[in-house]
Amino acid sequence: MPIASVAKVMTAYVILKAHPLKHGEDGPQIEVDQIAAQEALSLSESTASIRQGQRLSQREHLELLLLRSGNNVARLLALRAGWSCCPSSAG
C-alpha cells in the first residue's frame, strides 16, 4: 500500500493545527461530497474508496488521507479548512 506524500502529511498537519484532536478523540463528522466520491473512482491517481453522503470522523478522514494516500480526501479536508485548492472543485 502506498504511503502519503509530503504534501498530504503537511495537509494533515495544517488540518490538525486548525482543528486539533485530543487523545482518543475522533473529531467532528465530515460528510463526503459528490466530487470526492466521484474522484474515488479515478484510475489515474491515488484515492480512498468513499461514497457520497458517507459521514466519517475527522480522524477517519485523516487515516484515509495518510494511509490510503487519498487525493480525494485531501481535497475534501482542504475544503473543510476553508481552502480553495483544486481545479476539480471548481465545477
Side-chain angles (χ1 to χ4, degrees), residues 63-86:
E63 289 172 358
L64 291 171
L65 169 68
L66 296 171
L67 299 178
R68 293 287 181 190
S69 194
N71 290 336
N72 55 336
V73 175
R75 185 200 56 79
L76 187 63
L77 286 172
L79 291 174
R80 181 196 182 306
W83 303 334
S84 176
C85 65
C86 311

Side-chain angles (χ1 to χ4, degrees), residues 7-51:
K8 292 187 189 98
V9 171
M10 288 305 299
T11 298
Y13 172 78
V14 172
I15 293 295
L16 287 169
K17 287 290 279 182
H19 305 280
L21 297 176
K22 294 180 181 171
H23 181 71
E25 186 178 65
D26 289 333
Q29 295 288 305
I30 303 168
E31 187 170 333
V32 174
D33 65 15
Q34 179 182 3
I35 295 170
Q38 288 175 339
E39 289 172 342
L41 304 174
S42 174
L43 300 177
S44 64
E45 64 180 338
S46 177
T47 62
S49 180
I50 52 179
R51 295 177 316 278

